[in-house]
Amino acid sequence: MAEPLFDRLALIGIGLIGSSLAQVARREGLVGEIAISTRSKKTLERARELNLGDVYTLDPAEAVSDADLVVLCIPVGACDAMMQTIAGSLKPGAILTDVGSVKMSVIDQIAPHVPDTVHFIPGHPIAGTEHSGPDAGFPDLFQNRWCILTPDKSTSQDAIDRLAAFWRGCGSDVELMEPGRHDLVLAITSHLPQLISYNIVGTADDLETVTKSEVIKYSAGGFRDFTRLAASDPTMWRDVCLHNRDAILEMLGRFSEDLSAMQRAIRWGDAGVLYDLFSRTRSIRKSIIEAGQETPAPDFGRPHEKTRD
Amino acid sequence: MAEPLFDRLALIGIGLIGSSLAQVARREGLVGEIAISTRSKKTLERARELNLGDVYTLDPAEAVSDADLVVLCIPVGACDAMMQTIAGSLKPGAILTDVGSVKMSVIDQIAPHVPDTVHFIPGHPIAGTEHSGPDAGFPDLFQNRWCILTPDKSTSQDAIDRLAAFWRGCGSDVELMEPGRHDLVLAITSHLPQLISYNIVGTADDLETVTKSEVIKYSAGGFRDFTRLAASDPTMWRDVCLHNRDAILEMLGRFSEDLSAMQRAIRWGDAGVLYDLFSRTRSIRKSIIEAGQETPAPDFGRPHEKTRD
């Protein structure tokens, strides 16, 4: 196994992403020691039981004090307060990064607190599942997924290279992007799908004409596909909405406009418009499969054998 | 193996559903002989190559003439024309059913043509994948899924029992339902999710600010979940829209109303409303998993190991 890239990694927050990072970093020998800090005592104890790190503390300032790489794995709305706590304890020369799904707001919250001696490189691994918490983590989460870094022009190239090497070691491809562009791209590839999923599950839940048990029984007709995203962590997604507001509202506006056009075509029985709309969308899935970002197995590869009786 | 339930099954249409039915009916010994008819010569030849049946014909009237069970596996908009072709050839005592995702319109199209000696029982297996055509079929498709039958009050109980036994033999649970209720329930559990998926993929495809290659690369952020349904057969779904218009427009209206409320909460930064909305949707997925209609594996059980390089 090669020399570790960093002597000490501090993970602030140990949910799905933090736990997965701890597991892959250790498996691949990317870091010497792992310090874990989280707000909840219960979660910290669970991380210890799962043996995710080497040092466990409820004090994030303590966790970062000796770390060469600090990764904030917390909701995007919590960055400013966290920086007020840890900024003074960051080690000179350390790299500070995050994993948040929004970058402009995270930069606004973090950058003002960063000491001159610390390299701040915002980051976002495009990977996840619908499960949360330290138990949800697994070391292959980042395998074959993209990690976007959004450094500014003054950032040390050496620091960027070292952080990119860390993510590649986790199995990811790395892309550099301007933070505003990141927020726009993610608004369509992630935030809008998430909000649409929450919305349709909410609509179904509210119906007085169709019972919840009917929705559950017949969900294999398509509905169940949406329930996966809608089972994601509510705090994380509340913060994404609040912190990427403009890009999200822009995408929601476009989506609603298109939906109104479809609704009109259905009302007026415009078969040609509907057929054309339903035909153009197949190729994009094919491209996603070819890009290695989706399984070619039918039905996401869900099991179809008998699972009860 | 038990005595077959029907001496001869005629499958009119041999796409995903017809092909899966042929395979499970043969594997389970549910029928003696299988006659297959489809409009396209190429598809019929493919069915023959796949050895899906015993008799192959381009003439549906010939296929049904000696059949005890006739299953129409065709788009819901094609039922009236098909009945004009086959009604005079149906065997006295035969059961005629279909697999369409809409029931009121199918009944309107089929019932006027059905001879008094034939038992017409509309049906709908709540099962499918995003793939179409005879190659997409597999015998476990109906396993552990619901099949809804919507007979009217004058239908022979014996015929209902025999058709229900056939579907149970295919691995399904059977439920009887009033056709109007079916169309309402499916509008929320299947048709709305389908249309929302088509719409969001269309919105992404139309963006001038984010490139298609960015949408593809970062689709693991959630977008790819929607591309599965959006890859479904466009003819089938065009027909569903045209034939379940009122229920679909009702559900689209409610969805849009709810989306506007969410949009407003995002615009005004109403954190409490967003958190509550995002919290209430987890339990429904849990119930769907408990009902055996979804896998508990994270990310639909998609593979997370390395798949390229």
Side-chain angles (χ1 to χ4, degrees):
Chain A
M1 199 165 272
E3 192 76 359
L5 295 165
F6 297 94
D7 286 336
R8 182 167 177 161
L9 163 68
L11 295 169
I12 310 302
I14 195 74
L16 168 67
I17 299 290
S19 169
S20 298
L21 270 181
Q23 293 177 53
V24 66
R26 176 171 285 182
R27 188 186 70 184
E28 301 297 323
L30 304 174
V31 300
E33 198 177 53
I34 301 175
I36 293 173
S37 180
T38 192
R39 203 175 46 171
S40 137
K41 195 169 176 176
K42 203 176 139 197
T43 307
L44 194 68
E45 282 315 305
R46 187 60 193 146
R48 196 197 301 268
E49 283 163 25
L50 293 167
N51 193 27
L52 295 176
D54 302 290
V55 175
Y56 304 87
T57 169
L58 289 170
D59 178 8
E62 187 192 326
V64 306
S65 63
D66 199 29
D68 311 289
L69 175 61
V70 175
V71 186
L72 303 182
C73 307
I74 57 179
V76 292
C79 290
D80 179 63
M82 181 55 71
M83 285 306 292
Q84 293 185 33
T85 308
I86 65 170
S89 304
L90 290 165
K91 185 178 164 184
I95 294 175
L96 170 68
T97 187
D98 76 308
V99 298
S101 193
V102 179
K103 296 272 70 81
M104 294 286 273
S105 160
V106 162
I107 292 169
D108 287 346
Q109 292 178 66
I110 293 180
H113 301 283
V114 180
D116 287 344
T117 55
V118 168
H119 308 287
F120 169 46
I121 307 173
H124 180 208
I126 317 297
T129 78
E130 68 277 24
H131 296 181
S132 337
D135 286 279
F138 57 99
D140 282 325
L141 178 64
F142 309 106
Q143 197 68 56
N144 204 22
R145 294 287 164 262
W146 288 90
C147 181
I148 298 175
L149 303 181
T150 67
D152 72 13
K153 283 174 185 155
S154 69
T155 310
S156 142
Q157 187 61 48
D158 176 63
I160 297 173
D161 291 345
R162 289 175 68 208
L163 183 59
F166 174 80
W167 278 109
R168 288 198 191 95
C170 294
S172 291
D173 288 319
V174 175
E175 183 98 346
L176 299 189
M177 204 182 278
E178 188 273 317
R181 176 145 203 91
H182 167 280
D183 289 357
L184 194 68
V185 170
L186 269 289
I188 184 71
T189 57
S190 175
H191 308 170
L192 182 64
Q194 186 68 43
L195 294 177
I196 296 303
S197 296
Y198 278 129
N199 198 67
I200 195 169
V201 177
T203 300
D205 203 33
D206 272 345
L207 288 176
E208 67 287 351
T209 46
V210 176
T211 66
K212 198 172 293 188
S213 96
E214 285 171 316
V215 169
I216 289 163
K217 273 168 88 169
Y218 308 119
S219 61
F223 179 78
R224 61 182 176 152
D225 278 21
F226 291 75
T227 61
R228 188 183 82 78
L229 290 176
S232 305
D233 183 46
T235 304
M236 169 184 161
W237 283 103
R238 178 201 62 196
D239 277 10
V240 169
C241 286
L242 299 175
H243 290 270
N244 196 22
R245 193 186 65 173
D246 294 347
I248 288 175
L249 287 176
E250 161 72 14
M251 296 305 170
L252 274 174
R254 285 169 177 262
F255 175 88
S256 294
E257 228 171 86
D258 293 345
L259 195 66
S260 294
M262 183 192 280
Q263 200 164 336
R264 193 173 189 283
I266 293 170
R267 190 177 299 281
W268 294 97
D270 197 336
V273 165
L274 294 172
Y275 185 85
D276 289 347
L277 180 60
F278 300 168
S279 300
R280 58 186 280 214
T281 46
R282 269 189 165 172
S283 66
I284 206 162
R285 181 167 178 84
K286 202 162 157 264
S287 305
I288 291 172
I289 291 168
E290 283 164 5
Q293 297 301 311
E294 176 63 288
T295 172
D299 209 11
F300 300 122
R302 280 187 181 111
H304 273 266
E305 69 280 9
K306 204 160 181 72
T307 52
R308 61 190 177 97
D309 261 5
Chain B
M1 201 168 271
E3 193 76 358
L5 295 165
F6 296 94
D7 287 337
R8 183 166 176 163
L9 163 67
L11 295 169
I12 309 302
I14 194 73
L16 168 68
I17 300 290
S19 169
S20 299
L21 270 181
Q23 294 177 54
V24 66
R26 176 170 283 181
R27 188 186 71 184
E28 301 297 323
L30 304 174
V31 300
E33 200 177 51
I34 301 175
I36 292 173
S37 180
T38 191
R39 204 174 47 169
S40 138
K41 197 170 174 174
K42 202 175 140 199
T43 307
L44 194 68
E45 282 316 305
R46 188 60 193 146
R48 196 197 301 271
E49 283 164 25
L50 293 168
N51 194 27
L52 295 177
D54 303 290
V55 174
Y56 303 88
T57 171
L58 289 170
D59 178 7
E62 187 191 327
V64 306
S65 64
D66 199 29
D68 311 290
L69 175 61
V70 175
V71 186
L72 303 181
C73 306
I74 58 180
V76 293
C79 290
D80 178 63
M82 181 54 71
M83 285 306 292
Q84 293 185 35
T85 308
I86 64 170
S89 304
L90 291 165
K91 185 178 165 186
I95 294 175
L96 170 68
T97 187
D98 76 308
V99 297
S101 193
V102 179
K103 296 275 66 82
M104 295 286 273
S105 161
V106 162
I107 293 169
D108 288 347
Q109 293 178 66
I110 293 179
H113 301 283
V114 180
D116 287 344
T117 54
V118 168
H119 307 289
F120 170 46
I121 307 173
H124 180 207
I126 316 298
T129 78
E130 67 277 25
H131 296 180
S132 336
D135 285 279
F138 57 99
D140 282 324
L141 178 63
F142 309 107
Q143 198 67 55
N144 204 22
R145 294 287 163 264
W146 288 91
C147 181
I148 299 175
L149 303 179
T150 66
D152 72 12
K153 282 175 188 158
S154 68
T155 310
S156 140
Q157 187 60 48
D158 176 64
I160 297 172
D161 291 345
R162 290 176 66 208
L163 183 59
F166 174 81
W167 278 109
R168 290 198 189 97
C170 295
S172 291
D173 288 318
V174 175
E175 184 97 345
L176 300 188
M177 205 182 277
E178 188 273 318
R181 177 147 203 90
H182 167 279
D183 289 358
L184 195 67
V185 170
L186 269 289
I188 185 72
T189 57
S190 174
H191 308 170
L192 182 64
Q194 185 68 42
L195 295 177
I196 296 304
S197 296
Y198 278 129
N199 197 69
I200 196 169
V201 177
T203 300
D205 203 33
D206 273 345
L207 288 177
E208 67 287 349
T209 45
V210 177
T211 67
K212 199 172 294 190
S213 94
E214 285 172 316
V215 170
I216 290 162
K217 274 168 87 169
Y218 308 119
S219 61
F223 180 77
R224 62 182 176 152
D225 278 20
F226 291 75
T227 63
R228 188 183 83 78
L229 290 176
S232 304
D233 184 44
T235 305
M236 171 184 159
W237 283 103
R238 177 202 62 196
D239 278 11
V240 168
C241 286
L242 299 175
H243 291 269
N244 197 22
R245 193 185 65 171
D246 293 348
I248 288 174
L249 288 177
E250 161 72 13
M251 294 305 170
L252 275 174
R254 284 169 178 261
F255 175 88
S256 295
E257 229 172 86
D258 293 345
L259 195 65
S260 294
M262 184 192 280
Q263 200 165 336
R264 193 173 189 285
I266 293 170
R267 189 175 302 280
W268 294 97
D270 197 335
V273 165
L274 294 172
Y275 186 84
D276 289 346
L277 181 59
F278 300 168
S279 301
R280 59 185 279 214
T281 46
R282 271 190 163 172
S283 66
I284 206 162
R285 180 167 179 85
K286 202 163 157 262
S287 305
I288 290 172
I289 291 168
E290 283 165 3
Q293 298 300 309
E294 177 62 288
T295 172
D299 209 10
F300 300 124
R302 281 185 180 114
H304 274 266
E305 69 279 12
K306 205 160 181 72
T307 52
R308 63 192 175 93
D309 262 5

